[in-house]
Amino acid sequence: MAKGEGAESGSAAGLLPTSILQAGERPAQVKKEPKKQQQLSICNKLCYAVGGAPYQVTGCALGFFLQIYLLDVAQVDPFSASIILFVGRAWDAITDPLVGFCISKSSWTRLGRLMPWIIFSTPLAIIAYFLIWFVPDFPRGQALWYLLFYCLFETLVTCFHVPYSALTMFISTEQSERDSATAYRMTVEVMGTVLGTAIQGQIVGQADTPCLQDPNDSAVVSEGVNRTHSTTSLKETQNAYLLAAGVIASIYVICAVILTVGVREQREPYKTQQAEHMSFFRGLRLVMSHGPYVKLITGFLFTSLAFMLVEGNFALFCTYTLGFRNEFQNLLLAIMLSATFTIPIWQWFLTRFGKKTAVYIGISSAVPFLILVAFMESNLIVTYVVAVAAGISVAAAFLLPWSMLPDVIDDFHLKQPHSRGTEPIFFSFYVFFTKFASGVSLGISTLSLDFAGYQTRGCSQPAHVKFTLKMLVTIAPIVLILLGLLLFRLYPIDEEKRRQNKKALQALRDEASSSGCSDTDSTELASIL
């Protein structure tokens, strides 16, 4: 492998004029220095990967359980719940590019440029998260309470996750090292979703969540006794949600500490010498005019939206359409465990067959199982089999976007070699589009349930509600996945293009690291490459 890399560097260096390569021995000296800085130990990769768990643990708990919590535990009416979910996600989407731009304008500190955002946002984020799962004593202001703290938490977790995502580009300049660290990260993030599912689902599942029968089916005295028992059980359920929130908040803090202690942020050598600050609108214009980036985020916009529709409505679908009120948390656990064990397989697959091939096979593998769920009768064993199979596709959906974004950024750096600090904008705008779309989908799905006649805390739901849930979890995601895969055909960065970009970037870094490199020479080098 070392011999092959040397051959690539040598061929790239052979393209350079003698005015740039002033000393014959300089390329050999430059080649050794980056190599020492770019190697990441397994400990470094694990510490970096652990930093992705807080976002996934909290996001999984909110994504799977917030809707049913608002409707059946906090007893917020469906219309207000749809407003909370839509505005919260939309606000979260808006904060991503804003935070990304603020980070790109941040000054370098002793801790780095990204790490201070992660450190200072963590304590405030866990307080806001805990208050999301607290039921206040004033019923009239409940909707405002949940909207306020949901938006606040999403803002603070954005201040954590956007710099963490951009950190991928600053842990190493070597593409293979970044891909390896991304695989570690995706494995830990899927394990984070397992933790979020297990903690939230198992703790809440142990509580006796009450439901209301039709009052015409019982006598007046029996109805009073049932309501007293229901009030007691509802309080137990609320306490269970608080307990789960406390455990998840503790995990958030532990992971943030491991990340800040175990990872060191690095500078790109050629960026420190060719720094060019830019305005927000110029940076945004450059990023959004980069064709491969637009095609990538558009394709993942539809596929991510499909999985978010399933995520947001899965608990209600299992409870009311399939009739598995006491099993949905175990089904979620089966999906996430399957995804966790499949991540290394997909990492091997994309390195062996390419990332575009992994997209087509990995994400499309969910379609047959969604079709099976749409047409099968309620069968617990078949549902578990489908859940395990669906986890395979979920793993691909987790890994591939974050593995392909660095390739797009590398391609952008070759076309815009003097642009500085655009990495957070790339990552934050990808998250912006997916979150905004998910907010729209959750708002529309909750409104659809309201129009279908959803009964808060009902032991069963009308046939129209069951049918609506089936459409939201099966047919709509299938259509979105197929649209996303069609758009991926336009994505231009294949394996050959990645190899060319890697060779050109290495030559650019080597020449920019040399002490005699001037701005004129660097411009000449970029034009040659």
Side-chain angles (χ1 to χ4, degrees):
M1 181 177 295
K3 184 177 180 180
E5 290 175 355
E8 286 184 355
S9 300
S11 62
L15 298 173
L16 305 177
T18 55
S19 61
I20 298 178
L21 299 179
Q22 296 174 358
E25 67 275 12
R26 183 178 298 161
Q29 294 172 352
V30 174
K31 247 189 320 188
K32 293 180 181 178
E33 291 182 2
K35 220 165 193 182
K36 292 179 182 178
Q37 297 174 355
Q38 291 164 0
Q39 294 298 325
L40 297 175
S41 67
I42 294 178
C43 181
N44 292 142
K45 294 176 184 178
L46 285 175
C47 290
Y48 166 72
V50 165
Y55 181 79
Q56 296 300 336
V57 172
T58 56
C60 180
L62 290 169
F64 281 116
F65 291 91
L66 184 58
Q67 186 184 45
I68 195 171
Y69 168 80
L70 292 174
L71 293 173
D72 288 356
V73 180
Q75 301 182 46
V76 177
D77 64 274
F79 179 77
S80 298
S82 67
I83 296 298
I84 293 170
L85 294 171
F86 169 71
V87 174
R89 288 294 183 99
W91 173 255
D92 185 23
I94 293 171
T95 58
D96 277 285
L98 294 178
V99 170
F101 175 72
C102 292
I103 293 171
S104 68
K105 305 298 286 185
S106 299
S107 301
W108 185 272
T109 68
R110 191 165 54 88
L111 297 173
R113 187 159 55 96
L114 304 174
M115 281 298 186
W117 290 80
I118 295 173
I119 294 171
F120 293 112
S121 65
T122 295
L124 298 175
I126 61 173
I127 295 174
Y129 179 79
F130 185 81
L131 292 176
I132 292 175
W133 304 103
F134 176 77
V135 180
D137 292 333
F138 38 89
R140 287 181 177 271
Q142 276 190 351
L144 183 60
W145 171 280
Y146 292 116
L147 180 61
L148 173 64
F149 286 107
Y150 187 31
C151 291
L152 179 60
F153 171 74
E154 294 295 355
T155 302
L156 292 167
V157 80
T158 297
C159 294
F160 181 101
H161 190 64
V162 169
Y164 172 74
S165 299
L167 192 61
T168 307
M169 303 301 297
F170 297 97
I171 56 175
S172 175
T173 57
E174 179 62 36
Q175 188 182 67
S176 61
E177 290 293 300
R178 295 201 306 255
D179 285 346
S180 176
T182 299
Y184 276 83
R185 170 191 168 186
M186 291 302 107
T187 302
V188 173
E189 286 195 359
V190 175
M191 291 176 64
T193 63
V194 173
L195 275 177
T197 302
I199 294 169
Q200 191 82 9
Q202 298 302 318
I203 293 178
V204 172
Q206 297 301 317
D208 183 18
T209 305
C211 61
L212 298 180
Q213 300 283 354
D214 188 350
N216 295 327
D217 294 340
S218 59
V220 176
V221 176
S222 177
E223 181 180 350
V225 174
N226 288 337
R227 289 196 175 185
T228 302
H229 174 70
S230 176
T231 302
T232 304
S233 299
L234 183 60
K235 189 64 177 177
E236 293 175 355
T237 304
Q238 293 171 359
N239 292 334
Y241 273 97
L242 286 177
L243 176 60
V247 176
I248 289 176
S250 301
I251 295 174
Y252 193 118
V253 174
I254 293 172
C255 293
V257 170
I258 293 175
L259 172 66
T260 54
V261 171
V263 176
R264 184 176 181 181
E265 187 178 343
Q266 300 180 11
R267 294 194 190 198
E268 276 275 22
Y270 70 91
K271 284 185 181 178
T272 59
Q273 298 180 24
Q274 304 181 64
E276 179 186 342
H277 292 279
M278 65 182 70
S279 66
F280 173 77
F281 291 105
R282 185 186 172 201
L284 177 60
R285 185 174 66 253
L286 286 174
V287 168
M288 298 309 299
S289 63
H290 190 56
Y293 179 66
V294 174
K295 293 167 185 175
L296 180 69
I297 63 173
T298 305
F300 275 118
L301 173 65
F302 285 98
T303 56
S304 299
L305 183 56
F307 288 101
M308 288 174 183
L309 268 177
V310 177
E311 177 188 72
N313 296 281
F314 187 79
L316 293 173
F317 176 74
C318 290
T319 300
Y320 296 116
T321 302
L322 298 181
F324 303 139
R325 175 178 289 273
N326 298 320
E327 289 291 335
F328 76 87
Q329 67 270 15
N330 297 323
L331 289 167
L332 288 176
L333 191 58
I335 293 174
M336 295 308 169
L337 284 173
S338 173
T340 302
F341 292 121
T342 312
I343 283 282
I345 299 176
W346 282 120
Q347 175 63 19
W348 169 84
F349 187 93
L350 66 86
T351 55
R352 177 68 176 83
F353 299 101
K355 296 180 182 180
K356 288 188 70 173
T357 304
V359 166
Y360 293 134
I361 295 178
I363 295 181
S364 64
S365 63
V367 173
F369 301 105
L370 291 175
I371 294 174
L372 179 61
V373 171
F375 292 101
M376 76 176 186
E377 298 294 331
S378 180
N379 186 300
L380 185 59
I381 296 177
V382 175
T383 305
Y384 269 105
V385 173
V386 171
V388 172
I392 299 174
S393 187
V394 170
F398 264 89
L399 175 64
L400 290 168
W402 302 111
S403 180
M404 297 169 77
L405 271 173
D407 300 336
V408 172
I409 297 174
D410 285 343
D411 187 73
F412 175 82
H413 285 161
L414 288 175
K415 294 180 174 61
Q416 303 287 341
H418 296 292
S419 299
R420 177 195 177 195
T422 55
E423 293 85 358
I425 299 178
F426 272 99
F427 283 94
S428 60
F429 265 91
Y430 166 71
V431 179
F432 165 79
F433 286 112
T434 55
K435 286 182 178 180
F436 186 82
S438 69
V440 172
S441 69
L442 280 175
I444 292 177
S445 62
T446 310
L447 278 178
S448 300
L449 294 176
D450 189 22
F451 292 145
Y454 182 85
Q455 297 178 0
T456 302
R457 292 175 58 200
C459 292
S460 62
Q461 296 293 339
H464 290 299
V465 173
K466 296 179 181 179
F467 178 78
T468 302
L469 285 169
K470 180 171 286 191
M471 293 299 102
L472 292 172
V473 173
T474 57
I475 303 302
I478 290 173
V479 173
L480 291 169
I481 287 173
L482 294 178
L483 287 174
L485 292 177
L486 287 175
L487 290 170
F488 273 118
R489 293 182 60 85
L490 304 175
Y491 179 67
I493 302 180
D494 54 14
E495 294 307 299
E496 179 62 27
K497 181 67 173 176
R498 287 179 64 228
R499 283 192 290 269
Q500 293 174 2
N501 288 350
K502 177 182 178 180
K503 180 188 297 186
L505 275 173
Q506 189 59 51
L508 184 61
R509 292 188 184 105
D510 290 349
E511 180 57 30
S513 298
S514 63
S515 59
C517 182
S518 65
D519 289 341
T520 303
D521 292 337
S522 300
T523 305
E524 183 180 357
L525 172 64
S527 64
I528 291 171
L529 294 174

